[in-house]
Amino acid sequence: MNVPFLYTPWISFPITDERKSGFLAPAIGNSDKRGFELETPYYWNIAPNYDATFTPRYMSDRGLQLNGEFRYLMPVNRGDLQLSWLDDDAYEDQRWLGRWRNTLRPSTHSRVDIDLNGVSDKRYFDDLSTSLDVISATHLDRRMDARWWFDQGEVLLRLQGYQTVNETLLSTQYPYRRVPQLLFTGGIPDGALGLDYGLRAEWVQFDHDDLVNGSRLDLKPSIALPVRTPGSFLEPRLSGRYTAYRLDDSLPADQREPDRLVPTFSLDSGLIFEREASDRAIQTLEPRLFYVYTPYRDQDDLPVFDTGDLTFTFDQLFREDRFSGPDRVGDANQLSLALTSRLVDTASGRERLRASLGQIFYFEDREVTLPDQPAETRTESDLAAELGAQLGNFWKIDSSLLWNPDTEQTARGSTRIQYRRDSRHVFNLGYRYREDDFEQAEISFGWPLSRRWNGVGRWVYALDDNRDLEALGGLEYESCCWKARLVARQYVTDGGTEYNNAIYFQLVLKGLMDVGRNIEDLLEEGILGYELQD
């Protein structure tokens, strides 16, 4: 419109799709933990398949941080390397971060993934990161996976360790290292006699600084006879699990090579009834029965390398085992009863409503437990319920509930109500509850206030502690050629004991560059369904 918008003594940018070396737009911000921040990235276009970015980051309360990222792309190999270094004035020590991610595809049936992460100290992310997801991380993964695929299955070779960055965990709570893990999963569907054959075979060498070390061999073959019709299904399955250990020499000789063999029988069955609810909708009624029998085997002499309790949900009604790993196989003599009803739009096939209710009935006590846990003696599980509804074209409800019939109280529940007309008209209302743990409410939105102004906000409140967990609010102004975003945020850090206040500003010159802190991910992750378009 013939009005100068931005004066700069010198600027250079490509007018084609080709990349060009030079300074990128700076990022400016301010927070309680770091003070005033200024980042001035420099991009180096080394070659068509190599590039690097060097980003000095000045923080008035901590000093000058040097960041670098190198990316490479080759016919069968790609990856990136990131390094950061800071002589921290507030921490009074040198701090660093390193990250290497690489993907190698030597053939169409194989792949090698490397993901190595490390930081100088446990408080690194809490002090220097701007992402709430990263701040809440407890372990950094260090892993190499090599996979091979073929018609009947997949083979995985894994080397995996962790760096624990949670200061509240004891060393005995750190996870084991896998050095290495060899895993085969596969099977033959529709094999001889119409049977499905499956096999999971695993060998792992576990290593830990403060706990017992050793190796584990785990074999789980299975055979099933699925019978399916348009309105019913029946699937009996028989499996066995053999697990053997070879533990280190610090244990008595009779405890170094424990093993266990457990069979499991399950029967999954269901019916699907349909009726016309209206001229445009079909309603289904889907009863389902799932029976599991696993005899008791004493497993108290077996170590626990990587096994834990699974969180009970509606889907847990149809699992054969209540544990997440092979160190424990839960004894079971139980029947799951569930009922699901759906309302389906006949024109689009879209599910307008889904309601499910189910419960497990136990015929025997569950005596197999993890260390220091009592046997489970309840005769029935929590009542699990789920509800999903699409109300009109814009409203959506998702809800889940666990209700304890013994105490007649809610054990866990969550509800989310969303209005989404499009990617810019979004409103979310959520509630989460876990008995004796937390109770939280959440509101988030992204909404045009006028033709040029947009507003965003998010508020997470702990009802049990009567305090804010996160509060975010911001405005965006948009014209034909540029946008400006200003966002203020307060969120908990230091394990929930302190607040950090931050201000983010971003200037978007459409088709050219972004100036200031990149806040797209912050808004799109924090406001479900909201999408920014530059």
Side-chain angles (χ1 to χ4, degrees):
M1 301 293 293
N2 254 352
V3 177
F5 172 74
L6 176 69
Y7 286 98
T8 178
W10 178 83
I11 189 170
S12 175
F13 54 88
I15 59 175
T16 66
D17 292 336
E18 296 182 0
R19 303 192 308 268
K20 181 178 181 180
S21 299
F23 281 99
L24 304 178
I28 303 173
N30 188 80
S31 70
D32 289 343
K33 282 185 172 291
R34 298 176 295 275
F36 173 77
E37 297 183 52
L38 175 63
E39 295 182 16
T40 56
Y42 181 84
Y43 176 76
W44 182 18
N45 182 29
I46 305 173
N49 60 330
Y50 297 93
D51 65 9
T53 305
F54 304 97
T55 309
R57 178 190 184 190
Y58 172 74
M59 295 170 282
S60 61
D61 292 346
R62 296 190 175 272
L64 180 63
Q65 183 183 43
L66 302 178
N67 303 287
E69 180 184 19
F70 173 70
R71 302 187 302 176
Y72 52 93
L73 176 62
M74 290 176 281
V76 297
N77 194 36
R78 66 173 60 191
D80 66 274
L81 175 65
Q82 299 180 39
L83 297 172
S84 296
W85 180 87
L86 168 67
D87 191 358
D88 196 332
D89 297 336
Y91 192 74
E92 297 182 348
D93 200 355
Q94 296 181 359
R95 313 179 80 176
W96 56 266
L97 174 145
R99 176 177 296 160
W100 181 39
R101 296 177 181 175
N102 185 86
T103 298
L104 172 66
R105 293 182 177 270
S107 70
T108 57
H109 299 286
S110 61
R111 172 173 171 166
V112 180
D113 293 304
I114 297 175
D115 187 2
L116 301 179
N117 303 272
V119 291
S120 57
D121 57 89
K122 295 181 179 181
R123 291 188 55 85
Y124 185 93
F125 293 115
D126 190 65
D127 291 340
L128 301 175
S129 177
T130 61
S131 171
L132 188 59
D133 291 336
V134 173
I135 291 172
S136 61
T138 58
H139 306 286
L140 298 183
D141 200 10
R142 297 171 175 177
R143 176 171 45 88
M144 188 279 289
D145 289 348
R147 300 176 185 270
W148 295 268
W149 296 276
F150 48 95
D151 292 341
Q152 279 72 43
E154 174 185 342
V155 175
L156 167 67
L157 174 63
R158 170 174 290 170
L159 294 168
Q160 186 174 30
Y162 301 90
Q163 180 185 1
T164 300
V165 293
N166 188 319
E167 295 181 300
T168 64
L169 295 180
L170 301 175
S171 60
T172 53
Q173 296 175 299
Y174 293 0
Y176 274 90
R177 295 178 287 270
R178 295 181 175 97
V179 285
Q181 175 189 22
L182 184 62
L183 173 65
F184 167 81
T185 53
I188 303 175
D190 298 324
L193 304 177
L195 298 171
D196 289 351
Y197 303 90
L199 175 63
R200 183 188 187 276
E202 179 192 45
W203 180 85
V204 193
Q205 178 69 41
F206 291 100
D207 182 67
H208 199 285
D209 295 334
D210 300 307
L211 299 175
V212 61
N213 297 319
S215 63
R216 182 185 69 201
L217 173 67
D218 183 62
L219 303 174
K220 187 180 180 181
S222 64
I223 184 171
L225 180 60
V227 179
R228 297 185 180 275
T229 70
S232 65
F233 66 90
L234 179 69
E235 184 173 322
R237 179 182 297 272
L238 180 64
S239 64
R241 190 156 212 167
Y242 174 74
T243 309
Y245 297 83
R246 185 181 296 273
L247 306 179
D248 60 27
D249 296 338
S250 63
L251 296 174
D254 59 346
Q255 298 180 16
R256 293 178 191 169
E257 297 185 2
D259 64 352
R260 174 208 60 209
L261 175 62
V262 187
T264 295
F265 171 77
S266 67
L267 179 64
D268 194 6
S269 62
L271 298 171
I272 304 173
F273 300 99
E274 293 183 356
R275 73 177 185 90
E276 292 186 2
S278 67
D279 294 338
R280 298 183 54 186
I282 291 178
Q283 182 186 8
T284 70
L285 191 65
E286 306 169 32
R288 183 175 179 181
L289 298 179
F290 183 72
Y291 176 75
V292 180
Y293 177 75
T294 302
Y296 169 76
R297 295 290 186 270
D298 186 0
Q299 302 168 47
D300 292 340
D301 60 339
L302 302 183
V304 177
F305 287 135
D306 60 357
T307 298
D309 288 311
L310 289 168
T311 301
F312 186 73
T313 64
F314 181 82
D315 292 336
Q316 189 71 10
L317 298 174
F318 313 108
R319 288 183 60 99
E320 293 182 348
D321 200 350
R322 61 182 180 272
F323 297 107
S324 61
D327 298 315
R328 293 291 185 271
V329 175
D331 53 324
N333 185 9
Q334 62 192 50
L335 177 67
S336 298
L337 278 70
L339 184 65
T340 297
S341 182
R342 310 174 199 268
L343 200 62
V344 182
D345 190 305
T346 55
S348 63
R350 194 173 186 178
E351 187 179 87
R352 293 293 183 180
L353 177 69
R354 183 193 73 258
S356 299
L357 184 67
Q359 192 174 21
I360 302 177
F361 296 91
Y362 304 106
F363 305 123
E364 297 177 1
D365 294 342
R366 280 77 62 215
E367 300 182 59
V368 177
T369 64
L370 293 171
D372 302 323
Q373 290 187 357
E376 298 181 18
T377 59
R378 291 176 58 183
T379 58
E380 53 191 18
S381 72
D382 291 341
L383 191 66
E386 290 185 339
L387 175 66
Q390 184 76 41
L391 307 179
N393 295 323
F394 306 135
W395 287 95
K396 182 179 180 181
I397 299 176
D398 288 297
S399 183
S400 64
L401 177 73
L402 292 181
W403 188 75
N404 189 324
D406 295 336
T407 62
E408 297 184 351
Q409 292 182 346
T410 299
R412 189 167 65 249
S414 67
T415 299
R416 181 182 294 275
I417 301 173
Q418 182 184 70
Y419 176 88
R420 188 177 188 272
R421 188 193 308 173
D422 52 46
S423 61
R424 305 303 296 273
H425 294 77
V426 178
F427 175 81
N428 297 299
L429 180 63
Y431 173 81
R432 296 181 293 273
Y433 170 79
R434 180 174 294 178
E435 187 177 17
D436 300 326
D437 193 359
F438 64 82
E439 185 177 11
Q440 299 173 2
E442 175 185 344
I443 297 174
S444 64
F445 68 90
W447 204 269
L449 305 177
S450 66
R451 189 170 65 90
R452 296 190 180 276
W453 288 93
N454 300 314
V456 294
R458 183 172 189 246
W459 180 42
V460 183
Y461 186 76
L463 297 169
D464 49 345
D465 293 336
N466 294 320
R467 63 172 185 147
D468 297 331
L469 297 180
E470 182 182 13
L472 177 150
L475 291 171
E476 177 189 73
Y477 178 83
E478 179 177 7
S479 72
C480 63
C481 307
W482 62 277
K483 297 181 183 180
R485 299 183 180 119
L486 180 66
V487 175
R489 180 185 180 210
Q490 181 186 70
Y491 57 97
V492 294
T493 60
D494 288 331
T497 60
E498 294 184 5
Y499 284 100
N500 185 35
N501 299 296
I503 297 176
Y504 308 91
F505 175 76
Q506 185 179 31
L507 176 64
V508 180
L509 305 179
K510 296 182 180 180
L512 181 59
M513 62 180 178
D514 299 347
V515 180
R517 178 74 64 186
N518 187 341
I519 59 177
E520 284 93 341
D521 293 342
L522 175 67
L523 297 179
E524 291 178 355
E525 292 175 5
I527 306 172
L528 181 67
Y530 188 64
E531 298 178 9
L532 293 171
Q533 300 176 355
D534 295 335

